[in-house]
Amino acid sequence: MPLLLGRAWCWAVRVGVASGAVGLGILTRPCPAELVDRVVAEAGCVEKRRRVLSARFTVYFVLALCLFPQADYLEVLRLVKAGEPILRPWAGVNKSSLTRARQRLGWPVMRELFRAVARPLGRSTELFHGLRVLALDGMLLAVPDSARNRETFGKSGSQRSPMGYPQARVVAVTECSSHAVLDAVIGGWKDSERIVSDELEAHIGAGTLVLADRGLWGLARWHRFRDRGAHLLWRIERRAARRVQDVLPDGSYLALIQANKHAKAAGTVKAPPALVRVIEYRVDGQEDVIRLVTSLTDHEEYPAAELATLYARRWEIEIVFDEIKTHQRGRPVLRSQTPDGVRQEVYAHLIVHHATRDLLNEVAGIAQTAAERTSFTRALHVSAVRCSRRAAFPPQPEIMTAFSASPRSAGPSCHDDAHATAPAN
């Protein structure tokens, strides 16, 4: 991935350190204490007595685990409490007490916190004919091989000879321009992406164009997204869209898609037919014909060549998954031994990823470049380094306004030590 070097990045790092946006601030800026407390209260997880490991602290501790994937619980605790002047209250805290704190918190808190934080980050100049381009797809994450994880998530292979670790399936919708994850749901390895993705409708609505692969195709889902006002650009199997209604001047054609006579799309009622525009093309060097269907039927406003080129952006979501699975997770298997812990950990990773992408989006604005040209691994490294040097956990509501001033008002100066905090990717 291309790296964003020079004065803009150094300026962002310097301003971020001064205001708390880099390091622990990468967590506290998008998740201020007031927001965390509200989400905890709405989930009914407010403690009845004062605890050292409060619900607020536990939220930030779980997020910090994602910044330090190679460190154990006590090492992460030491890092986040490095700035604490009095460490005596923490003398009795051990791995078991931290585990119990995570269990008390539960996973719905992290899910609702992620949904409160997640938002589109792309600029208006990155829209496609006024439409925000989103991608829908899924990934698999290996989880510890405990009995409860095996029962809940399942393994690949047959029932008699399962293989590898249990795997959690995460289906997400992301913004292609900024790589921001907008929503996600978690299921098991056996759960079809088509079933899990039915819940991902919060950010799919008017003004959006959703790109998806053929593995997620469903006529009922097509109608649901269209009813919400979203436009769609979807790859389909060859046998679909056979009933040609009209051939358009650009080579695309209008066709009717009907539900399979053996399929029941919603309960016992089949989805009604849909009139779609079909675009067929080949990629150089490939024999397979790529067949796309779209709700954008105006061939003059949306030429077939433009839509075929745009569909390639669906692979941006694979880059997002790589950022989370390879670079941010930092280990082949997640930490959590229980299904609730796995869900909590996954949503925490999504929050950290969104916070990092939010910071990089500002850097891209300073450098006047596309957000996907920024280095995610570099930002994650700088955040972890700064986090280990400066700590103030858990943050207090009265100190969470430090980043209110726009970084654009600062002078774009850069020192050599700023370069040192951003090693090559």
Side-chain angles (χ1 to χ4, degrees):
M1 178 181 292
L3 304 181
L4 181 60
L5 302 174
R7 296 167 65 87
W9 172 255
C10 299
W11 175 22
V13 170
R14 189 181 178 201
V15 172
V17 171
S19 61
V22 175
L24 294 183
I26 200 173
L27 308 180
T28 57
R29 181 191 173 198
C31 303
E34 298 92 337
L35 175 61
V36 173
D37 291 344
R38 176 173 62 81
V39 173
V40 168
E42 291 175 352
C45 295
V46 179
E47 52 270 2
K48 297 181 180 179
R49 60 185 178 87
R50 187 172 183 179
R51 297 177 180 269
V52 173
L53 299 179
S54 64
R56 180 198 294 175
F57 175 84
T58 306
V59 167
Y60 290 113
F61 175 75
V62 173
L63 294 176
L65 289 175
C66 299
L67 274 180
F68 302 100
Q70 302 295 345
D72 61 19
Y73 276 27
L74 295 182
E75 178 64 12
V76 173
L77 178 66
R78 184 191 67 80
L79 291 170
V80 301
K81 297 304 298 180
E84 185 73 18
I86 301 177
L87 294 178
R88 185 176 302 172
W90 302 89
V93 175
N94 54 33
K95 182 178 179 180
S96 296
S97 55
L98 291 167
T99 300
R100 289 193 297 271
R102 288 189 59 190
Q103 293 171 346
R104 288 194 302 269
L105 183 68
W107 69 271
V109 170
M110 303 306 294
R111 179 191 62 188
E112 296 308 314
L113 182 61
F114 166 67
R115 290 179 174 176
V117 167
R119 60 185 177 86
L121 302 175
R123 291 165 284 184
S124 59
T125 56
E126 297 168 328
L127 301 179
F128 175 77
H129 292 273
L131 299 174
R132 188 176 303 279
V133 182
L134 310 178
L136 180 66
D137 208 345
M139 65 175 172
L140 291 171
L141 294 174
V143 302
D145 194 4
S146 65
R148 295 178 61 183
N149 281 346
R150 287 196 300 271
E151 180 181 359
T152 301
F153 298 112
K155 289 184 177 184
S156 60
S158 64
Q159 185 175 0
R160 290 186 175 183
S161 57
M163 299 183 298
Y165 288 94
Q167 293 181 310
R169 185 181 299 278
V170 181
V171 182
V173 56
T174 66
E175 186 180 34
C176 292
S177 60
S178 66
H179 289 185
V181 180
L182 303 182
D183 203 357
V185 292
I186 305 169
W189 175 80
K190 296 181 180 179
D191 295 329
S192 168
E193 290 181 348
R194 301 182 184 185
I195 298 174
V196 177
S197 63
D198 286 343
E199 303 178 35
L200 298 176
E201 300 183 3
H203 292 275
I204 298 177
T208 63
L209 174 60
V210 182
L211 314 180
D213 199 10
R214 52 192 170 188
L216 289 166
W217 166 256
L219 187 56
R221 183 174 301 110
W222 177 280
H223 284 294
R224 283 199 302 274
F225 288 171
R226 291 294 294 129
D227 290 342
R228 297 179 65 87
H231 283 289
L232 305 169
L233 182 60
W234 219 308
R235 187 175 180 181
I236 61 170
E237 297 287 351
R238 183 176 182 180
R239 61 179 179 271
R242 291 179 177 179
R243 299 176 181 269
V244 179
Q245 305 294 308
D246 190 18
V247 178
L248 302 176
D250 63 353
S252 61
Y253 57 91
L254 301 179
L256 196 66
I257 294 184
Q258 294 181 326
N260 188 297
K261 62 180 181 180
H262 301 295
K264 295 183 179 179
T268 59
V269 180
K270 293 182 181 180
L275 181 65
V276 301
R277 180 179 170 206
V278 183
I279 301 170
E280 297 179 343
Y281 62 96
R282 283 190 176 93
V283 178
D284 292 342
Q286 302 290 331
E287 295 184 0
D288 294 340
V289 175
I290 297 177
R291 184 173 285 99
L292 307 178
V293 293
T294 180
S295 58
L296 302 172
T297 57
D298 190 339
H299 66 279
E300 294 182 351
E301 185 175 359
Y302 308 101
E306 285 190 18
L307 292 175
T309 302
L310 177 68
Y311 183 73
R313 300 213 65 184
R314 190 197 72 79
W315 294 100
E316 297 288 342
I317 195 172
E318 302 295 343
I319 298 176
V320 174
F321 291 159
D322 179 68
E323 291 172 352
I324 297 173
K325 293 176 63 174
T326 305
H327 304 292
Q328 181 174 298
R329 182 178 57 170
R331 51 196 297 158
V333 183
L334 296 179
R335 297 174 183 265
S336 305
Q337 300 288 331
T338 65
D340 285 354
V342 167
R343 297 185 183 99
Q344 182 189 79
E345 187 176 354
V346 169
Y347 281 113
H349 271 292
L350 293 175
I351 293 173
V352 172
H353 181 272
H354 195 280
T356 307
R357 273 291 158 199
D358 192 7
L359 178 62
L360 285 175
N361 188 67
E362 290 198 9
V363 174
I366 295 171
Q368 299 182 351
T369 187
E372 61 262 31
R373 292 186 61 83
T374 57
S375 173
F376 178 83
T377 54
R378 169 171 297 181
L380 202 62
H381 171 78
V382 171
S383 300
V385 169
R386 293 293 180 179
C387 184
S388 62
R389 293 178 182 176
R390 299 167 51 97
F393 262 23
Q396 301 302 316
E398 60 271 14
I399 66 172
M400 291 310 301
T401 58
F403 202 79
S404 58
S406 172
R408 295 178 186 273
S409 61
S413 59
C414 178
H415 294 297
D416 292 338
D417 60 346
H419 282 284
T421 62
N425 187 6

